[in-house]
Amino acid sequence: MVEAESGGWRWGRWGLAVVGVVGLVAMVAALLEPGWVLAHLYGVDVTDKDLVSEADKDKLEAFDKARSRIVGLATGVLAVVAVYYTAANAASARRTAQAAADNVELAARGQTNDRFTAAVAQLGDASTAVRLGAVQALAGIADDAPDLRQTCIDVLCAYLRLPYEPEPDPSDARAHRAYRAEREVRHTVIRLVGAHLRLPARDRRSWQGRDFDFTDVVFDGGDLSGAVFSSGTVTFQNAEFASGTVSLTHAEFSGAAVNLWNARFTGGTVDLWASRFLDGEIDFGGAEASAGKITFWEAEFAGGIVEFKGARVSGQALVDLGKAKFTGGTLSFEETEVSGGTINLWEADLRTGIVDFGGLLLSGGKITFWEAAFGGAVVGFVGAAFTGGLADFGKAAVTDGLVDFKDARFSGGDVNVWDTDLSGGVLDFSRAVFSGGKVTFYESRLTGASLAFRRAAFTGGTADFGRASLTAGSLDFPDASLTDQSLVFTGTDFGGTTLDFTRTTGPRPSTLPADPIPGLHPSPNWAPPPA
């Protein structure tokens, strides 16, 4: 094809050359003095114009006109030839430049592939320095060659997935040195990932939106602080967080799917302090935390989903959401089993959004909302089972929203709403079953909220309102079934709260004062109080 084009171009150039020569000759001929042409070709003497005949004058005038036309035509032909030659030369120059650029690109691609192959090979080198260089080289290739970026990331993640035993016996000096050397290589990989996820998306070197596969990786620390997970998939499935601190402080989750299914937290810390959850999903489904800490301290939940469905918290583990701010999104501990450790929402700001403990099994440990502010969020314990441990709402402030214990089962443990301000919103224990344990509102202040125990069944356990101040709002037990010890009102201040016991079955609570109580709607089943 190229030869045919070259041959055609050569013939075209020769043809134009001939046309150009002919045009040039015609122009030269046309530029000759008409008198000279008449004198030499026609034998006309024009030295003395007064002696030229009228016929010869006509010839001279006609030739002069013809000459002008020939000059114009020849000039046009030469202009066309010049334009064609200029364009042809420019096209030839472009083809030459493109061919040179293609050759440079091919050479560069070949060099990049050679660099990649060498770096991958060096990852298996026995020398720590060589492996560190290979890690840096792969990150550099990812920066230079966007088409190889995901491949380089996959190789770096695969290196982390290699078998790894954290922190061997310090008495084995040789093994400990080898461990520290390998730990440095692994932490360099994590640090480079974090550095590239911190770069803004507009930066050509940014790794935002890429996929990261940390399946089965053993973590003993690492710096991912400030990382932005805007899209793509990040997988920590079956990963183990064994020691050290994996820092995700100030990270932003704005669209990525982060998967921690069946991850194990056996020590160390996963630190999400001041992180922002705007969109996307972080899934801890089936995760097991037996030691160490997962902290969301001062994190902001504005959108998306953070889910611990089916997770297990035991031992000394801590899931810390202290001072977290909820303005949207969902935090779910649905069907989580807590047999030890702590889930902490101390001083959490629950303005909107959902915190869901539906189907929770609390048999030990603690869930605390100490001094939390409930300003509109929905906090749900629907269908939860309390067989031990503590759910603590002490000193919280409930001004709006819903804390929902519908269909919950209480057979042990405590739910503590001690010294709490209940000025708005709803705490709903409808259809809950109390066979043991205690729900206490000791010294709380009910000034506008609604506490509902509709159709609740008390066969054991108690709801204690001792020394509470009931000045407004409502406390409702319609259709509930009680024993004489189910409710405790020792020292309670009845100042105007509506107490609705209509259609309640069972005896009048023994600690309910005999004196008239403002707002009391007694059960028709109650015997008159003793005089």
Side-chain angles (χ1 to χ4, degrees):
M1 180 69 179
V2 173
E3 292 180 355
E5 289 179 353
S6 299
W9 163 234
R10 284 196 296 269
W11 281 111
R13 284 196 299 176
W14 280 111
L16 280 173
V18 170
V19 172
V21 170
V22 171
L24 183 61
V25 170
M27 190 175 202
V28 170
L31 290 174
L32 293 176
E33 179 65 32
W36 185 89
V37 174
L38 291 176
H40 289 79
L41 296 182
Y42 297 97
V44 178
D45 184 7
V46 293
T47 55
D48 187 352
K49 293 184 178 181
D50 294 334
L51 300 176
V52 177
S53 66
E54 291 297 325
D56 290 336
K57 287 181 179 180
D58 292 338
K59 290 179 181 180
L60 187 61
E61 184 178 351
F63 186 84
D64 193 43
K65 291 181 179 179
R67 183 185 66 167
S68 298
R69 292 171 182 168
I70 292 172
V71 168
L73 179 61
T75 300
V77 170
L78 290 175
V80 169
V81 172
V83 169
Y84 181 84
Y85 265 93
T86 300
N89 287 334
S92 178
R94 285 196 298 272
R95 285 194 295 271
T96 302
Q98 184 62 49
D102 291 344
N103 289 335
V104 170
E105 183 179 350
L106 288 173
R109 186 181 296 275
Q111 291 174 356
T112 300
N113 289 337
D114 291 343
R115 289 169 59 200
F116 175 79
T117 302
V120 171
Q122 289 168 352
L123 278 177
D125 197 277
S127 167
T128 302
V130 172
R131 296 199 304 277
L132 282 170
V135 168
Q136 296 286 355
L138 284 169
I141 294 167
D143 290 343
D144 297 339
D147 56 330
L148 285 176
R149 183 164 297 163
Q150 185 63 59
T151 303
C152 292
I153 292 171
D154 291 344
V155 172
L156 292 172
C157 291
Y159 185 84
L160 294 177
R161 292 198 299 271
L162 295 175
Y164 178 63
E165 292 294 334
E167 200 65 43
D169 185 353
S171 64
D172 188 342
R174 184 175 181 178
H176 198 69
R177 283 195 302 271
Y179 152 73
R180 289 180 62 83
E182 178 60 14
R183 183 176 184 268
E184 180 60 30
V185 178
R186 296 172 66 87
H187 281 217
T188 298
V189 172
I190 298 170
R191 186 164 55 250
L192 286 170
V193 170
H196 284 83
L197 286 174
R198 280 191 291 273
L199 294 173
R202 64 180 178 275
D203 192 307
R204 66 177 183 82
R205 299 165 298 160
S206 176
W207 292 1
Q208 290 185 31
R210 299 290 177 167
D211 297 331
F212 298 86
D213 187 356
F214 300 115
T215 300
D216 294 318
V217 171
V218 177
F219 288 92
D220 58 354
D223 184 9
L224 294 168
S225 60
V228 177
F229 300 92
S230 56
S231 60
T233 300
V234 184
T235 300
F236 294 89
Q237 186 171 353
N238 295 317
E240 179 180 357
F241 298 87
S243 60
T245 297
V246 176
S247 177
L248 285 152
T249 59
H250 295 283
E252 180 180 302
F253 299 86
S254 52
V258 182
N259 167 16
L260 291 106
W261 297 338
N262 299 318
R264 301 182 307 283
F265 300 86
T266 58
T269 299
V270 177
D271 190 356
L272 289 136
W273 174 66
S275 292
R276 301 174 68 220
F277 301 88
L278 309 178
D279 198 0
E281 181 175 2
I282 303 178
D283 192 348
F284 291 82
E288 182 172 345
S290 58
K293 180 166 62 174
I294 308 169
T295 177
F296 297 86
W297 187 267
E298 293 186 345
E300 179 184 352
F301 295 83
I305 300 173
V306 179
E307 185 169 28
F308 287 82
K309 184 175 183 178
R312 295 175 298 282
V313 181
S314 62
Q316 300 301 314
L318 171 62
V319 180
D320 192 356
L321 293 119
K323 293 193 174 184
K325 181 186 295 184
F326 294 83
T327 59
T330 298
L331 172 64
S332 174
F333 290 89
E334 186 179 0
E335 298 178 3
T336 295
E337 297 180 15
V338 181
S339 58
T342 301
I343 298 175
N344 176 37
L345 288 103
W346 177 71
E347 286 193 2
D349 184 352
L350 299 150
R351 300 182 187 181
T352 57
I354 297 172
V355 180
D356 186 6
F357 289 88
L360 167 80
L361 173 58
L362 179 63
S363 59
K366 181 167 62 175
I367 300 172
T368 177
F369 290 85
W370 185 267
E371 294 186 343
F374 295 81
V378 175
V379 179
F381 290 86
V382 175
F386 297 83
T387 63
L390 171 65
D392 191 358
F393 295 80
K395 290 184 176 292
V398 182
T399 59
D400 199 358
L402 170 66
V403 182
D404 194 352
F405 288 90
K406 281 197 293 286
D407 298 309
R409 301 180 304 282
F410 299 86
S411 59
D414 294 294
V415 176
N416 176 25
V417 197
W418 172 74
D419 194 18
T420 298
D421 286 316
L422 305 167
S423 60
V426 177
L427 276 73
D428 193 349
F429 291 84
S430 296
R431 300 190 303 273
V433 176
F434 297 84
S435 59
K438 180 188 286 188
V439 179
T440 178
F441 294 86
Y442 188 78
E443 292 188 346
S444 289
R445 294 162 294 281
L446 181 59
T447 59
S450 173
L451 274 62
F453 289 81
R454 298 178 182 87
R455 298 176 62 188
F458 287 83
T459 60
T462 58
D464 186 353
F465 298 88
R467 299 186 63 178
S469 177
L470 309 180
T471 58
S474 62
L475 179 56
D476 300 329
F477 292 88
D479 298 304
S481 60
L482 307 174
T483 70
D484 62 345
Q485 301 297 319
S486 299
L487 306 179
V488 176
F489 292 98
T490 304
T492 303
D493 177 14
F494 298 93
T497 295
T498 299
L499 281 77
D500 186 358
F501 288 91
T502 56
R503 301 185 305 279
T504 297
T505 60
R508 177 189 177 98
S510 59
T511 57
L512 193 66
D515 297 334
I517 299 173
L520 174 63
H521 299 276
S523 169
N525 299 317
W526 289 352

